[in-house]
Structures are given as structure tokens and as C-alpha cells.
Amino acid sequence: MFKRILIANRGEIALRIIRACREMGIKTIAVFSDADKDSLHVKFADHAVNIGPALSRKSYLNMACIIGAAKETGADAIHPGYGFLSENAEFAKACFDGGITFIGPSAHTIAMAGDKSAARKILTEMGIPVIPGSDDIVVSPEAACSIADRVGYPVILKAAGGGGGRGMRIARTPEELSSAFAVAAGEAGAAFGNPNLYLEKYIEKPRHIEIQILGDSHGNYIHLGERECSIQMRYQKLIEESPSCFVDETLRRKLGETAIRIAKAVNYTNAGTMEFLVDKDKNFYFMEINARVQVEHPVTEAVTGIDIVEQQILMAAGRALAIKQEDVRFNGWSMECRINASDPNDNFMPSPGQIASVIFPGGPGVRVDTHIYDNYMVTPFYDSLIGKLIVWAKDRPSAIRRMQRALAEFEITGIETTIGFYRRVFENEQFQKGEIDTHFLDTMGQTAKRG
Amino acid sequence: MDEKNHIITSPVMGTFYRSSAPGKAALVEEGQAITPSDIVCMIESMKIFTELRCEHPGIVKRFLVENEDPVMKNQALIEIEIH
């Protein structure tokens, strides 16, 4: 087993990893930028190394500096957390070359997972459903119509140069598609300087459902069920839950088996997530592999009782999985709200600043993963995630009531946060009934404005 | 500040950038004529980039902060001489 693990991250996930290490009797080394010298991960770790200025590019993304810190402090492994260098194949390789274990999949697997068109090709050949569409840029309205005839309407045109809704058009007939083509190309050109479009089948009322998998270096794979992450804003997940009220036993088994087939196809080792879109008729389509521990991993921990970060460390150290698929039991319901420093009343604009005071929720079935405290300075240099509120209860209605109770207790003063916004979401009748899809928040916003 | 001068301020606490990406040329230079469609600088806050423009045509008179400087909400960034 590792003696010292360096955590190449900050914020709540750095604390999460330190906690797992401490419980396993492993020493921890934190790295921190100038902006984070007063952070809890610096305080909680056994050692801490300053790796540079506030800007991520000069500190948390500085590979040479982080590997140097690992060597200096005698770390035998690096846990990258999520974001920053966690899905950087070059960093995984640099760790390997430096004789340090990277806690995650191999550099080769990370590179495969990151190359979306290559991954799509491999999986299509294996018969795994991906969202049908053009394999390449669509050159003309005529070409678009011919692909649409093949994949079936409705279809969506998307800008090749970027996302965020610009250059996107939905078409339900060939006539609509022909006229949408020029508009979408114009928008894409103006927004991204690149008028190129590609075309996909448009999935109506899609749900974002993902499967957590674990794979050891001995070829054993298990899945830990699904997480539903349909509550999103501009492709950012805000609320996650496990299980999903939309997933029945048959779909769960199919998704789980498919996730493991995908993992085997890319020689995936360690913890990972396979993301799917599921349509209203329960057809599912592979979206992408997340080759890291995810922000929303605690909801899976809550319903399975499995410590995912501990499993990551054990697998990275070469241990065989001690849990078999038939040992994985799902118990109760878990939900998570991502608490962000952003202002729901100002289009979710970032709201960095100094926190004046915090009152954390507690009591039965409540977990708070956060790095904030009274007078903590939320700097503008990093992600707006300042904490995660996770609840567990015996079923979904009880979990909703518990989350409402915890949100009512939670108070952060001094900066704007998303806490009040979540109170409104949890009061929404559609949400309570589980009638959600990835457009839920857009619709809820419109309904609220009309009301 | 007289009537002919306009000050561009930061809408949010963040990092001030003179170019659209590290290593790229500056979006505008002092003395350059600009129109309301020109992006004059970027502010990054919590990984979100905001492009700033000047609502009036004019000339970039003076930068009041350096590239990559941390800036506060409402901090003065660029002085523009309005045509």
C-alpha cells in the first residue's frame, strides 16, 4: 500500500481524498497556490507544498511543479481529483515515467476516452448505441436532409466550433431542416468564427443517466448502479440522485452491462463513469466516458455503502476488487445539491467574495462536503463549486423532505449562492414527481416567469 | 473624467486579460480606434469568460490595469476617448 499520497487538487475534493487517506493510515501531501494558503486542505494534510501563483495555469495545472513536489516529499502516488489534471493523459504518463502511481486509468485509456470521435467509432463497431448522426461536418442542406432521412426526424444541427446553444437548431421536417441550415451556419460563424455544422438525431425529453464503474488491474469489473443528473444548467449538473426513478431493474441491468463492456473495450482501470442519454421510451445512447472520480460520487456511496475514493486507492495499489457484482446492494435514496458561488437572480453569474458566516445543516442522513468556513475568501480563480449537500433517506419522497429540511438549515452570508434556488426547485411539483429531463430548469424558469 | 472619456469597468471580480487566450496577440492596443462590436478585453471569473466591449465608438486611451491582474467588481479597466 502507498505510504504517502500527493493530492493534486484543491477545495472540497482535496478534503474528500485526505479523509479517505487518513482513514486508511496513508500520509497526505497537499499542494496549494498562493490564493489557497489559508485553505482547509492545507491545514488537514500532513504536509503542504506551495506550487505557485493563483492562476491555475501556473499552479494546479503546472505538471512539472506538481511532480517535483511529489518527488521532493517522497509521495508514491498522486490523486488528481476531478478537473485540473485529472483527465490529462500527458500528466498520467509523466507520473508513470517518474515512478509515481497515478490514481486513475492509464494514460492510454485517458487519451482514448478523451478522443470522442475515436471512442464513438470503436463503440459503434461493438454495437453499443451512440446518438445517430453525421460522422463528420455536414456540407450542405441537401447532405443534411439525406442524413436526416437515415437517422429519422427530429434532428438537431450543432456548431462544430463550440456549444452553449449557439448555432443549434432543431428541425422536424426536411423543409425545416433546409431553412434551419443557413441560420445555424450563420450563428455558428458569428459565435465561433467557424460556420461548420454537424447533425444528430434529436432526443426528445432526454434524461442524463450515468453508470459508476470500478475496474481493477486484474480484469474484474463491477458497476455501482446509476446516477440521474438531468437537472442541469448550460450543461452543468446542479442536482444528482441515485437511484433514478426512471430506471427499472431491466434498464439498470442493461446500462450496467453496457458500461462494463465499454470499460473493457478501452482497458479501463480504476473508478470511472459512463454517461448516457436515455429517451422517453427508455432507449439509451452512449455519450462519453468520465475518466475520474466525479463531483456527484457521494450519492452512489450513500446508496451502496461503498467508499469510492478508498476503492480508487486500493485499485491503484494493485489490489483486486474485494466486492463482487452480486455483493452490490442498493439501499434507499440519495440526492445531492451542488452549492455554487453564483447568483441565481443574475443569470447565475459568478459571485466570488468573502463569506461572512456559515451555518451548516446536520442531523440524520445529511452529509456536507465543503472547504468553506466563516470569513473564507471565495476567490475568482477557480470553479464556483463551494460545497455539496448530500442527503440519504429510505425513499425518494423522504429524501426530498430531508433535502428541504437541510436546505432550510443551510445559511451562507456575505456572497450569493444557489441555496435559495434549490429550495424553489425542491418545491416544484414536477420535480417532486420525478418528471424531469435535461431541459427541466429552462422550463421551470419560463413557468416561474409566466407565473 | 470629462464628457469625452468613458471608463470600462469590470462587471465581476476576476482576472483581467488583454488577449482571448494565453500567448495570443492583445485584443486592442492603446491608440487604436474601436467600434461597439470590438472586444476590448476579457474578464475570467470562476472559469467563466466575459467579453467586454465599449458601447460607443472611440479610441483606446489608456489601460488602467495590467494583463492577468486580479480586478474587483466595478474596478476601472480601460479609459476610452469617445468620438
Side-chain angles (χ1 to χ4, degrees):
Chain A
M1 185 43 60
F2 306 119
K3 288 195 168 56
R4 283 185 203 89
I5 294 179
L6 180 140
I7 296 125
N9 215 300
R10 62 178 299 283
E12 69 87 18
I13 194 64
L15 294 182
R16 171 71 189 88
I17 298 161
I18 291 170
R19 286 173 172 144
C21 290
R22 186 151 285 177
E23 289 175 11
M24 296 172 80
I26 299 167
K27 295 269 189 238
T28 51
I29 297 137
V31 294
F32 65 100
S33 72
D34 294 344
D36 278 339
K37 61 185 195 318
D38 298 323
S39 286
L40 288 184
H41 74 286
V42 174
K43 191 179 162 93
F44 286 5
D46 295 297
H47 300 280
V49 182
N50 182 308
I51 48 164
L55 293 183
S56 302
R57 189 160 47 82
K58 298 178 176 176
S59 49
Y60 296 107
L61 292 174
N62 186 336
M63 298 186 208
C65 207
I66 290 171
I67 289 174
K71 288 189 172 164
E72 249 168 60
T73 53
D76 38 16
I78 293 182
H79 196 307
Y82 53 67
F84 295 125
L85 296 169
S86 61
E87 291 176 278
N88 186 311
E90 197 191 325
F91 182 64
K93 185 172 184 302
C95 290
F96 181 83
D97 292 345
I100 299 162
T101 304
F102 175 82
I103 301 177
S106 69
H108 183 68
T109 296
I110 294 174
M112 273 170 89
D115 183 347
K116 282 177 193 149
S117 63
R120 186 182 157 99
K121 190 162 178 289
I122 295 167
L123 299 177
T124 310
E125 280 163 12
M126 291 170 60
I128 287 168
V130 296
I131 298 173
S134 61
D135 295 322
D136 216 327
I137 306 302
V138 186
V139 292
S140 66
E142 294 72 34
C145 287
S146 115
I147 297 164
D149 283 341
R150 178 166 58 80
V151 302
Y153 287 89
V155 295
I156 182 165
L157 290 164
K158 288 184 173 177
R166 287 182 293 183
M168 273 191 198
R169 278 288 180 285
I170 297 160
R172 293 175 192 279
T173 62
E175 293 71 37
E176 275 185 29
L177 181 56
S178 299
S179 63
F181 193 89
V183 180
E187 254 182 39
F192 312 114
N194 172 2
N196 288 339
L197 301 173
Y198 61 95
L199 181 145
E200 269 180 7
K201 185 177 175 61
Y202 179 66
I203 311 294
E204 307 239 27
K205 294 192 173 297
R207 286 173 178 252
H208 175 119
I209 310 252
E210 58 186 35
I211 302 285
Q212 174 73 56
I213 65 116
L214 303 177
D216 65 22
S217 52
H218 308 270
N220 303 305
Y221 287 91
I222 60 171
H223 74 83
L224 304 182
E226 79 279 8
R227 289 186 288 258
E228 162 131 28
C229 315
S230 297
I231 305 296
Q232 306 183 352
M233 171 86 63
R234 295 179 210 121
Y235 305 99
Q236 290 287 327
K237 297 166 188 170
L238 290 179
I239 300 173
E240 302 99 342
E241 58 187 296
S242 182
S244 161
C245 53
F246 190 66
V247 175
D248 53 32
E249 208 41 62
T250 315
L251 182 57
R252 180 170 301 118
R253 203 186 53 246
K254 273 200 242 171
L255 285 171
E257 285 168 0
T258 306
I260 289 175
R261 280 182 65 206
I262 296 167
K264 286 181 176 167
V266 297
N267 284 318
Y268 200 99
T269 51
N270 216 275
T273 299
M274 309 303 165
E275 293 188 335
F276 299 92
L277 269 190
V278 183
D279 72 12
K280 59 188 194 318
D281 301 316
K282 298 194 175 167
N283 299 305
F284 61 84
Y285 305 93
F286 167 78
M287 278 198 299
E288 64 179 43
I289 301 174
N290 289 155
R292 57 167 194 272
V293 67
Q294 283 190 281
V295 172
E296 61 270 27
H297 76 277
V299 294
T300 299
E301 295 186 323
V303 294
T304 61
I306 294 168
D307 182 327
I308 292 171
V309 178
E310 178 189 28
Q311 291 300 319
Q312 283 193 293
I313 295 168
L314 291 171
M315 289 186 289
R319 301 279 178 88
L321 274 170
I323 312 156
K324 299 205 165 17
Q325 190 65 55
E326 56 268 29
D327 302 333
V328 179
R329 293 274 183 280
F330 303 104
N331 178 27
W333 212 280
S334 182
M335 303 179 111
E336 173 181 280
C337 289
R338 296 191 186 190
I339 312 301
N340 292 332
S342 65
D343 185 356
N345 298 318
D346 184 15
N347 202 20
F348 291 84
M349 275 291 279
S351 57
Q354 186 163 30
I355 288 172
S357 65
V358 191
I359 298 169
F360 291 115
V366 175
R367 166 176 170 185
V368 182
D369 279 21
T370 181
H371 55 285
I372 63 167
Y373 49 82
D374 287 350
N375 301 318
Y376 176 82
M377 180 67 195
V378 180
T379 69
F381 302 110
Y382 314 109
D383 194 273
S384 62
L385 183 80
I386 54 170
K388 308 185 306 205
L389 170 58
I390 305 116
V391 301
W392 178 91
K394 64 182 190 305
D395 52 28
R396 193 169 189 270
S398 316
I400 289 173
R401 281 194 298 275
R402 184 160 277 167
M403 183 63 91
Q404 289 179 310
R405 187 269 289 171
L407 285 167
E409 291 172 6
F410 208 161
E411 184 189 281
I412 299 173
T413 62
I415 61 165
E416 298 298 330
T417 74
T418 46
I419 293 173
F421 170 76
Y422 291 129
R423 289 181 192 140
R424 296 200 293 279
V425 175
F426 274 78
E427 275 168 18
N428 181 284
E429 202 181 322
Q430 300 292 108
F431 177 81
Q432 290 183 353
K433 283 197 262 182
E435 291 169 5
I436 52 177
D437 60 57
T438 56
H439 308 302
F440 175 82
L441 289 182
D442 306 331
T443 327
M444 189 183 103
Q446 283 159 15
T447 317
K449 268 176 221 150
R450 276 203 302 273
Chain B
M1 192 183 96
D2 59 55
E3 281 171 25
K4 285 190 73 182
N5 278 352
H6 176 78
I7 302 283
I8 293 178
T9 59
S10 181
V12 62
M13 185 203 283
T15 305
F16 172 83
Y17 290 103
R18 284 196 50 186
S19 59
S20 60
K24 283 210 177 172
L27 290 156
V28 293
E29 297 288 352
E30 287 180 2
Q32 188 179 328
I34 53 161
T35 69
S37 66
D38 291 326
I39 302 165
V40 294
C41 67
M42 314 268 287
I43 304 291
E44 180 189 6
S45 184
M46 302 186 134
K47 303 200 303 199
I48 296 182
F49 285 84
T50 307
E51 300 167 341
L52 299 190
R53 293 174 170 83
C54 179
E55 55 201 69
H56 315 284
I59 288 174
V60 179
K61 202 168 168 190
R62 200 156 60 96
F63 282 94
L64 306 170
V65 286
E66 296 285 326
N67 187 44
E68 295 190 357
D69 269 358
V71 294
M72 300 304 288
K73 185 173 179 164
N74 299 326
Q75 184 173 337
L77 306 173
I78 310 173
E79 204 178 318
I80 308 284
E81 192 182 307
I82 303 297
H83 282 177

